[in-house]
Amino acid sequence: MNAPIKVVIIDDHNIVRRGLITLINLEDDIEVVADSDNGEEGRRLIMEYKPDVTVLDLSMPKGSGIDVMKKLKQHQSTTKIVVLTSISGSDILYSTLALGAKGLLSKDIDADELLTIIRKVQAGGEYIHPSISHQLTNLQSERFTQQALTRRESQVLGLIGKGLTNQAISDNLTISLKTVKTHVSHILSKLELNDRTQLAIYAIKNEVV
Amino acid sequence: MNAPIKVVIIDDHNIVRRGLITLINLEDDIEVVADSDNGEEGRRLIMEYKPDVTVLDLSMPKGSGIDVMKKLKQHQSTTKIVVLTSISGSDILYSTLALGAKGLLSKDIDADELLTIIRKVQAGGEYIHPSISHQLTNLQSERFTQQALTRRESQVLGLIGKGLTNQAISDNLTISLKTVKTHVSHILSKLELNDRTQLAIYAIKNEVV
DNA sequence: ATAAAAATCAGCCTTAGGTCTGATGTGAGC
DNA sequence: GCTCACATCAGACCTAAGGCTGATTTTTAT
């Protein structure tokens, strides 16, 4: 028999993490070697344990899942990433694929299903849960041409998502009101949205910080 | 030794549910007698099994946690409810307390902590997780005087949360633009917010439909 | 070194959003 | 019958928001 598949789990919900660990360790061909509730530590653990598969939650306080994936890509980590999420926003899902996630699934899947996916991904396969993939189909063509937001623009978008007015944002970032308006205008056209209300909704659903 | 504490679990995430069941069933003084992934079935299970404690998730597709609690209150159920949530909106949390939840905790607690809380609540105690209770302290005094939204106002708020303009809302509800503005104005003053962007954020965080 | 992208700001203009005051019809409750 | 909350609408008003054009400076990549 082969060595068991080494797995690292990164999720900020203790209960979810404990649940996953318990379930996975019931199997004898898969083993959880480490786990963490935040992105920073999680990244260190991956470097250290070099797991075959990493189960990664997207929404976390310190260092989001996206950040973790970016960093890992820089370091050319070979761990295969299965993204676990309840997020509905579509752009963030697309980002994970662009960053090379092998699996993509929502938190309401069966536990058995997760095990199957881990094995499949470890064997070199890919898997995207149907409830998520249908969100992506339309989007492939549309968003492909979409320019990414600059750092400043993301920052502004994040403040809009907190309900700040342009004036408040200008104070907050100590730049002129004009500049804020320019940024907002750019963000709107890049995301193909119509007003700041839709931006706020977008920001929340895609967890822009 | 006493009979084990009977628990019903209602949460739409399979993994969370399986995790909870596995963890709880490791204890010999607590027993999960039933579980469900939606509010409707969950309510039936509670009627049928009459559990001592119910662990209830707030955000679910069919019949939210709030609905379940309302129905149970009508039927004068004696099950003690522990609300499990990752929602940050404060009004919805306050609602759960008003509806008599005995426990209130976020999903990032320790598993052991949950067990302790179930025992405490069963014994007649109450528990609110610190990460949540601080959201409530300010609010007790402020929101007490807060008028509830009317049916129409909630409806309008819901559409704002979907990113509609006043004109679009007016078309959608087939009422005049003036009327929409009136409603929006009332909602703003009732919720003590400043503009529609903040309303949209509020609507999402409090899951206004 | 040079080109390209990002960040900054200004003026001008239009409109959606929001406030205030006030008015009318309707239904529930006392 | 009377009252009160609710939903509807109107006019007048003010401001934040966003579009468009154009410009300067800083950063970044090649």
Side-chain angles (χ1 to χ4, degrees):
Chain A
M1 168 178 159
N2 297 325
I5 302 173
K6 287 190 294 182
V7 176
V8 165
I9 294 175
I10 306 175
D11 191 307
D12 63 328
H13 295 314
N14 272 287
I15 290 181
V16 173
R17 222 166 56 245
R18 282 283 290 267
L20 288 171
I21 295 173
T22 312
L23 286 163
I24 291 178
N25 283 344
L26 287 177
E27 307 296 302
D28 51 6
D29 63 332
I30 314 181
E31 182 193 3
V32 177
V33 293
D35 69 283
S36 171
D37 65 351
N38 70 79
E40 287 179 28
E41 187 190 32
R43 210 183 65 250
R44 284 205 310 279
L45 292 175
I46 292 173
M47 305 305 230
E48 184 180 343
Y49 288 94
K50 302 191 189 308
D52 301 297
V53 177
T54 300
V55 177
L56 179 64
D57 188 21
L58 281 190
S59 55
M60 285 177 298
K62 288 186 217 160
S64 79
I66 297 283
D67 287 340
V68 173
M69 292 180 74
K70 283 182 185 168
K71 293 265 172 56
L72 288 178
K73 202 175 185 185
Q74 284 173 15
H75 290 75
Q76 302 176 332
S77 164
T78 58
T79 188
K80 298 169 185 79
I81 295 174
V82 174
V83 169
L84 186 65
T85 182
S86 53
I87 294 180
S88 53
S90 48
D91 281 16
I92 199 172
L93 298 179
Y94 185 60
S95 301
T96 62
L97 288 184
L99 286 166
K102 301 299 179 191
L104 196 49
L105 42 91
S106 64
K107 280 184 181 169
D108 56 353
I109 63 159
D110 279 332
D112 297 333
E113 219 172 330
L114 173 67
L115 298 172
T116 309
I117 291 162
I118 290 179
R119 294 193 183 98
K120 184 180 281 186
V121 165
Q122 158 63 3
E126 297 203 359
Y127 179 91
I128 296 175
H129 196 259
S131 73
I132 292 178
S133 71
H134 86 274
Q135 292 189 40
L136 294 172
T137 39
N138 303 337
L139 178 146
Q140 296 277 13
S141 47
E142 289 176 28
R143 301 292 196 196
F144 233 113
T145 59
Q146 181 188 313
Q147 294 99 332
L149 298 185
T150 68
R151 202 169 313 155
R152 203 53 156 174
E153 285 164 354
S154 303
Q155 216 169 1
V156 171
L157 178 54
L159 294 177
I160 291 176
K162 287 185 180 149
L164 303 209
T165 62
N166 284 342
Q167 183 58 58
I169 294 173
S170 126
D171 294 343
N172 203 292
L173 301 179
T174 50
I175 54 179
S176 95
L177 180 59
K178 296 286 179 186
T179 306
V180 177
K181 284 188 172 191
T182 308
H183 287 314
V184 172
S185 197
H186 288 160
I187 300 170
L188 285 171
S189 77
K190 282 187 181 178
L191 299 182
E192 295 176 39
L193 297 175
N194 303 311
D195 52 50
R196 67 171 41 238
T197 304
Q198 293 180 358
L199 286 186
I201 296 169
Y202 176 94
I204 294 174
K205 295 219 192 270
N206 288 282
E207 303 213 323
V208 177
V209 186
Chain B
M1 171 178 159
N2 296 326
I5 302 172
K6 288 190 293 182
V7 176
V8 164
I9 293 175
I10 307 175
D11 191 308
D12 63 329
H13 296 314
N14 272 288
I15 291 181
V16 174
R17 222 167 56 246
R18 283 283 290 266
L20 288 172
I21 295 172
T22 312
L23 285 163
I24 291 178
N25 282 344
L26 287 176
E27 308 295 302
D28 51 6
D29 63 332
I30 313 181
E31 183 192 4
V32 177
V33 294
D35 69 282
S36 171
D37 64 352
N38 70 79
E40 287 178 28
E41 187 190 32
R43 209 182 67 249
R44 283 206 310 278
L45 291 175
I46 292 173
M47 304 307 231
E48 184 180 341
Y49 288 94
K50 302 191 187 311
D52 301 297
V53 177
T54 299
V55 176
L56 179 64
D57 188 21
L58 280 190
S59 56
M60 285 178 298
K62 288 187 216 159
S64 79
I66 297 284
D67 287 340
V68 173
M69 292 181 74
K70 282 182 186 168
K71 293 265 172 56
L72 287 178
K73 201 175 186 185
Q74 283 173 16
H75 289 76
Q76 302 177 330
S77 164
T78 58
T79 188
K80 297 169 186 79
I81 295 174
V82 173
V83 169
L84 187 64
T85 182
S86 52
I87 295 180
S88 51
S90 48
D91 282 15
I92 200 171
L93 297 179
Y94 185 60
S95 300
T96 62
L97 289 184
L99 285 166
K102 301 299 179 191
L104 196 49
L105 43 93
S106 65
K107 278 184 181 169
D108 55 354
I109 62 158
D110 279 331
D112 298 332
E113 219 172 331
L114 173 66
L115 298 172
T116 309
I117 291 161
I118 291 179
R119 295 193 183 96
K120 183 181 281 185
V121 165
Q122 160 63 4
E126 297 203 358
Y127 179 90
I128 297 176
H129 196 260
S131 73
I132 292 178
S133 71
H134 86 273
Q135 291 188 42
L136 295 171
T137 38
N138 304 337
L139 179 146
Q140 296 278 14
S141 47
E142 289 176 27
R143 302 289 197 196
F144 234 113
T145 58
Q146 181 186 315
Q147 296 98 330
L149 298 184
T150 67
R151 203 168 314 153
R152 202 54 155 174
E153 285 163 355
S154 302
Q155 217 169 359
V156 171
L157 179 54
L159 294 177
I160 291 175
K162 286 185 180 147
L164 303 208
T165 61
N166 284 341
Q167 184 59 56
I169 294 173
S170 125
D171 294 343
N172 203 291
L173 301 178
T174 51
I175 54 180
S176 95
L177 180 59
K178 294 285 180 186
T179 307
V180 177
K181 284 189 173 190
T182 308
H183 287 314
V184 172
S185 196
H186 287 160
I187 299 170
L188 284 171
S189 77
K190 281 187 181 178
L191 299 181
E192 295 176 38
L193 296 175
N194 303 311
D195 52 50
R196 67 171 39 237
T197 304
Q198 294 180 358
L199 286 186
I201 297 169
Y202 176 94
I204 294 174
K205 295 217 193 270
N206 288 282
E207 303 211 324
V208 177
V209 186

